[in-house]
Amino acid sequence: MIWVLVFVGIALLGLVGLVAYAVWLWHKAEDVLSEVEMVGRQAEEMLGLLDEIAPIEPARAVPGHSPVREDDEDDVRSHQADLDFEPDYYPGGRSRVRH
């Protein structure tokens, strides 16, 4: 008869462990959903900020004036980013420019 009590005790401990694991898993799922919601809010904020950014207008040519001089061919005009910039590096990672 003692073996019945042993098996009932093991079953009760298993049930308590299962309930504890379910509660822990529920809390973890809430944490994940909270993080997903925060990432969604941050994405909305970033999209709102991107909507506020105005596109850069191209520089207008002045009659009788060349917008690009031959010696300033690679200069960036009117605070525009140089998207074609590629730094020159040696294969070892050192720059070709000596300081």
Side-chain angles (χ1 to χ4, degrees), residues 14 62 88:
V62 177
D88 296 326

Side-chain angles (χ1 to χ4, degrees), residues 16-59:
V16 168
L18 187 62
V19 169
Y21 180 72
V23 170
W24 175 81
L25 191 61
W26 180 261
H27 286 292
K28 290 297 176 184
E30 285 179 341
D31 290 344
V32 168
L33 291 176
S34 172
E35 290 295 324
V36 167
E37 182 180 334
M38 183 171 38
V39 167
R41 273 187 271 134
Q42 288 177 349
E44 287 176 0
E45 289 176 13
M46 288 173 47
L47 288 173
L49 291 173
L50 285 174
D51 286 341
E52 292 177 12
I53 296 175
I56 299 173
E57 295 182 17

Side-chain angles (χ1 to χ4, degrees), residues 49-84:
L49 291 173
L50 285 174
D51 286 341
E52 292 177 12
I53 296 175
I56 299 173
E57 295 182 17
R60 296 192 177 123
V62 177
H65 180 265
S66 173
V68 177
R69 295 188 312 248
E70 291 189 26
D71 59 340
D72 290 338
E73 206 168 67
D74 294 329
D75 284 353
V76 178
R77 303 275 184 219
S78 70
H79 305 288
Q80 294 181 358
D82 184 7
L83 300 178
D84 296 326

